[in-house]
Amino acid sequence: MTEDDVEKSTEYDVVVIGAGPVGENVADRTRAAGLSTAVIEAELIGGECSYWACMPSKALLRPIVARADARRVPGLSAAVQGPLDADAVLAHRDETAAHWKDDGQLAWLESVGADVYRGTGRLTGTRQVSVTAPDGSVRHLTARHAVAVCTGSRAVVPDLPGVEDVRPWTSREATSAKEVPGRLVVVGGGVVGVEMATVWQGLGAQVTMLIRGERLLPKMEPFAGELVAASLAEAGVRIMTGVSATEVRRAGHDGPVTVALDSGESLETDEILFATGRAPRTDDLGTGSVGIEPGSWLTVDDSCRVRGSDWLYAVGDVNHRALLTHQGKYQARIAGAAIAARAQETPLLETDRWGAHAATADHSAVPQVVFTDPEAASVGLTLAEAEAAGHRVRAVDYDLASVAGSGLYAAGYTGRARMVVDLDRGILLGTTFVGPGIGELLHSATVAVAGEVPIERLWHAVPAYPTISEIWLRLLETFRG
């Protein structure tokens, strides 16, 4: 270390690498506990969710879903048959993403008393972090108590011939594109794939989906993917299952893309989106300096502390427990509380009345909403997962169209609900809803699953009539027979 480097060394109680929602929440909790905290960010403060994922994607989806809902309401449907104003939708998306400027997020982070460093953070040893600023200067930070890695994940693009020259879309390009492509091929049938197919078809693109497996949303109950696929197909999306892209080529700089398939067919498109998974942002993190393989997911305990370490934490996507913003923020609250307790030498077990230091929801009560038309929402285990885990279970299904509230919500309502009951313990292990407007139902299911509420007590949680939430009564009646 040079004399100049020594002058640029600074000590904090906690150093947070990554200023997305997860890093912001860790910093908020550690500052609230009185710990000095530095936060390092190489891109925009607010992270993936604010600028390229949750917020812009939902801003794009909302007009498509609202129009679909309105078209199912008698007396209103005739007024909403025309196309959406794509320019207005994209402009609203830009506003939601703060035009990709982070002034507001920076002001909030500074308001909690955290010091913000712009640049790339890297581990350089035990409790040691370097920050390389955009101008190339380097500052060295020391953490007295903890370093929290909150660097998230990145989209994975398969290594296909021609892929670099094609300049494919990932989730980032799909949520920030400035105009509607004439044709779009979406590779992948998970959450990003189905949501972006919904968006761009709804805004006027001709969309084709390439699915390696046989169904959409493979991590949810089978009927979720089936109902979403039927709706997408009805809207005009072409869904090809059991196929994979083998090669991609773009004609010229901005010409069409030719996609070769393993079936021997080929497709021509204007843009291609790869929604084929995520990888941790740990390639350039310096993990090798602390004995961890670069590019790997970081394995943690329930307090989000990296296994084998007493100072390194990994929070959010980077630990691969649940790649969802709300779960990452939940983990951040846990990790921040655990860091503070350990810094103050407070035994965690004696201060853990509220479960403040253990991310138990990551194991059994992870909620997720897919904002397609229809929406798909789930929490806990699917039937297949519960059976594979050795539970003695029963799945209870009910047609959401048979609930009085759904008929009032929309004419021709189509949907389905399932709860997975642990027969030995008399509690819910998982719940799935698919249908228009069911995203707001999910928290009631999350409370039931996370709280392990006995089925016999749920019977006394009376749903209001006539709402879609009356599905709870119908599921319980079906279970009791």
Side-chain angles (χ1 to χ4, degrees):
M1 186 180 293
T2 66
E3 183 175 330
D4 186 56
D5 287 334
V6 171
E7 293 176 356
K8 293 182 179 179
S9 296
T10 308
E11 189 173 66
Y12 290 90
D13 291 323
V14 180
V15 175
V16 179
I17 306 176
V22 174
E24 289 176 321
N25 274 270
V26 171
D28 185 36
R29 291 304 166 109
T30 56
R31 285 297 302 129
L35 302 179
S36 61
T37 303
V39 182
I40 305 164
E41 178 52 56
E43 294 187 288
L44 295 175
I45 294 169
E48 199 81 10
C49 177
S50 299
Y51 306 104
W52 300 287
C54 319
M55 298 303 289
S57 68
K58 302 316 168 280
L60 290 168
L61 283 157
R62 179 59 188 150
I64 283 86
V65 174
R67 180 180 63 173
D69 282 345
R71 285 176 171 177
R72 290 186 283 261
V73 178
L76 179 60
S77 59
V80 289
Q81 292 302 316
L84 290 166
D85 183 339
D87 289 340
V89 172
L90 296 179
H92 176 62
R93 183 273 319 270
D94 293 352
E95 184 177 351
T96 300
H99 299 277
W100 291 273
K101 296 179 181 178
D102 63 1
D103 300 18
Q105 298 272 13
L106 173 62
W108 179 85
L109 194 51
E110 290 179 335
S111 75
V112 304
D115 288 350
V116 178
Y117 291 83
R118 299 280 193 175
T120 301
R122 295 183 182 87
L123 298 167
T124 57
T126 301
R127 298 185 177 84
Q128 301 296 314
V129 179
S130 70
V131 185
T132 303
D135 64 5
S137 62
V138 179
R139 184 180 290 273
H140 300 276
L141 308 182
T142 297
R144 283 184 284 266
H145 298 295
V147 174
V149 174
C150 308
T151 49
S153 63
R154 58 176 174 81
V156 172
V157 175
D159 186 20
L160 298 178
V163 73
E164 292 185 5
D165 296 332
V166 164
R167 303 184 310 282
W169 283 8
T170 65
S171 53
R172 282 199 169 194
E173 290 76 19
T175 57
S176 62
K178 298 303 182 183
E179 59 184 25
V180 181
R183 298 164 297 178
L184 174 66
V185 167
V186 178
V187 182
V191 176
V192 172
V194 295
E195 288 191 347
M196 291 300 100
T198 300
V199 165
W200 294 108
Q201 186 282 327
L203 292 177
Q206 296 177 8
V207 177
T208 300
M209 299 188 73
L210 305 180
I211 314 300
R212 184 170 56 186
E214 294 302 320
R215 62 184 177 94
L216 303 182
L217 301 175
K219 294 184 179 180
M220 301 183 82
E221 297 284 9
F223 65 82
E226 292 166 4
L227 289 171
V228 171
S231 179
L232 284 171
E234 183 179 0
V237 175
R238 181 187 181 191
I239 301 174
M240 302 177 65
T241 59
V243 297
S244 297
T246 58
E247 184 177 3
V248 288
R249 298 291 177 192
R250 187 182 288 275
H253 182 74
D254 293 316
V257 176
T258 300
V259 185
L261 307 179
D262 57 2
S263 63
E265 299 176 77
S266 64
L267 303 172
E268 188 174 271
T269 184
D270 297 300
E271 300 292 347
I272 183 168
L273 161 63
F274 286 101
T276 49
R278 310 286 297 180
R281 289 182 177 273
T282 58
D283 303 78
D284 193 30
L285 185 62
T287 53
S289 68
V290 293
I292 299 173
E293 182 180 357
S296 63
W297 301 100
L298 303 182
T299 303
V300 298
D301 63 19
D302 281 348
S303 69
C304 295
R305 188 165 62 176
V306 173
R307 294 196 181 279
S309 173
D310 63 356
W311 60 273
L312 183 61
Y313 292 73
V315 195
D317 278 16
V318 74
N319 64 34
H320 207 229
R321 288 165 69 100
L323 277 65
L324 296 161
T325 297
H326 47 272
Q327 290 300 119
K329 292 166 70 174
Y330 161 72
Q331 291 176 16
R333 296 189 291 271
I334 299 294
I339 290 168
R342 287 170 174 142
Q344 296 159 1
E345 297 185 351
T346 304
L348 266 58
L349 291 177
E350 293 183 12
T351 63
D352 206 22
R353 285 196 313 146
W354 299 94
H357 306 120
T360 55
D362 288 345
H363 302 301
S364 59
V366 175
Q368 180 171 24
V369 179
V370 185
F371 293 89
T372 45
D373 173 43
E375 292 178 342
S378 66
V379 61
L381 303 179
T382 64
L383 174 61
E385 289 170 340
E387 290 176 336
H391 298 288
R392 191 172 69 91
V393 294
R394 176 185 166 196
V396 181
D397 291 2
Y398 202 85
D399 182 359
L400 270 163
S402 299
V403 177
S406 65
L408 294 170
Y409 188 91
Y413 191 103
T414 300
R416 185 175 172 186
R418 167 174 288 178
M419 65 180 190
V420 179
V421 181
D422 184 324
L423 296 175
D424 294 321
R425 300 172 64 196
I427 61 172
L428 299 186
L429 295 179
T431 306
T432 299
F433 304 113
V434 182
I438 53 76
E440 296 299 338
L441 280 179
L442 187 62
H443 193 60
S444 58
T446 303
V447 170
V449 172
E452 298 183 349
V453 180
I455 287 283
E456 292 305 317
R457 286 304 305 159
L458 286 177
W459 185 254
H460 299 283
V462 182
Y465 180 88
T467 65
I468 300 175
S469 63
E470 197 180 18
I471 185 62
W472 281 109
L473 174 60
R474 303 308 171 204
L475 287 168
L476 292 168
E477 286 177 336
T478 303
F479 176 71
R480 291 182 67 166

